[in-house]
Amino acid sequence: MRARLDARAAREGSAALHARLAEVDPVSAARIHPNDPQRLQRALEVFELTGRPLSAFHARGRAGDFDCRLLKLGLLPQDRALLHTRIAARFQQMLAAGLVEEVRRLRARGDLDIGLPSMRSVGYRQVWEYLDGNYDYDTMVSKGIAATRQLAKRQLTWLRSEADVESLHIETLDPAAVIARVARFLADGDA
């Protein structure tokens, strides 16, 4: 199915996929940009596999529809500079643990390419492009760190927009207090 959708997109363009999505799932089509092939393809795959539009699954999965109470705890950094330092250190750890060799082995399989969602992941994309010779090692490292910082920023923006999230600051996190908070929630129904 994915190959068929890829072939149609190559033949007719993403506008054709968007038009098809508008026919079967106008709610998702209104939300997904016509030039977002990954999300277009995913929405069409869901429809083809289930016979139901993706928007039906999204509507069903809202927190208010659960038959249980939710306790949302969010780990948020207070110090952006410390977050950036940790991101850089983590990317360096990934490189030291063999990220370049991992991507090299994935490339050698022959069934993957840079256009696949899995290979466009933060870190993988930068290493793949480095192995393609698009830039040197130091540039790859700086691009990988920058992409990770951008991802973290998007994640924090999303988390801050979530309703009813209790913020826990990672710099001052007290695991015992978190355990006590969860225990109160479970015992008292304190949401």
Side-chain angles (χ1 to χ4, degrees):
M1 176 183 319
R2 186 166 292 161
R4 188 170 37 84
L5 289 170
D6 283 342
R8 182 172 182 192
R11 194 174 56 252
E12 302 173 31
S14 62
L17 294 183
H18 195 267
R20 172 68 177 143
L21 182 61
E23 291 172 12
V24 299
D25 187 357
V27 173
S28 291
R31 184 179 49 80
I32 298 171
H33 193 276
N35 293 331
D36 189 343
Q38 184 176 345
R39 286 187 175 81
L40 283 172
Q41 183 177 57
R42 178 70 181 131
L44 288 169
E45 286 175 0
V46 167
F47 178 77
E48 294 291 330
L49 291 171
T50 67
R52 296 176 56 205
L54 180 62
S55 58
F57 291 98
H58 287 176
R60 190 183 77 195
R62 292 205 170 84
D65 295 340
F66 292 128
D67 291 333
C68 62
R69 298 173 302 115
L70 297 176
L71 174 62
K72 297 180 184 179
L73 303 175
L75 294 175
L76 298 169
Q78 289 176 300
D79 183 346
R80 192 71 54 106
L82 179 59
L83 174 64
H84 292 171
T85 299
R86 286 180 172 178
I87 286 170
R90 177 67 181 125
F91 195 77
Q92 291 291 352
Q93 288 172 345
M94 290 168 58
L95 290 168
L99 178 61
V100 172
E101 188 52 39
E102 178 183 344
V103 174
R104 187 175 279 123
R105 283 192 310 271
L106 290 170
R107 287 167 51 102
R109 285 178 27 174
D111 62 337
L112 301 173
D113 63 71
I114 191 72
L116 293 170
S118 59
M119 295 299 105
R120 290 195 317 253
S121 300
V122 171
Y124 282 80
R125 168 181 274 181
Q126 291 75 28
V127 173
W128 191 291
E129 291 176 345
Y130 159 69
L131 293 172
D132 276 346
N134 293 348
Y135 33 78
D136 63 25
Y137 185 86
D138 290 337
T139 302
M140 177 269 294
V141 171
S142 65
K143 284 181 173 288
I145 291 169
T148 307
R149 286 172 59 170
Q150 291 167 351
L151 174 61
K153 183 178 180 183
R154 288 190 304 273
Q155 290 172 331
L156 289 170
T157 299
W158 173 83
L159 188 57
R160 288 186 180 110
S161 73
E162 268 297 289
D164 305 322
V165 173
E166 292 182 33
S167 296
L168 306 172
H169 298 288
I170 59 175
E171 295 87 353
T172 58
L173 187 65
D174 176 8
V178 175
I179 292 169
R181 176 64 186 103
V182 172
R184 274 194 323 277
F185 175 80
L186 295 173
D188 303 333
D190 174 27

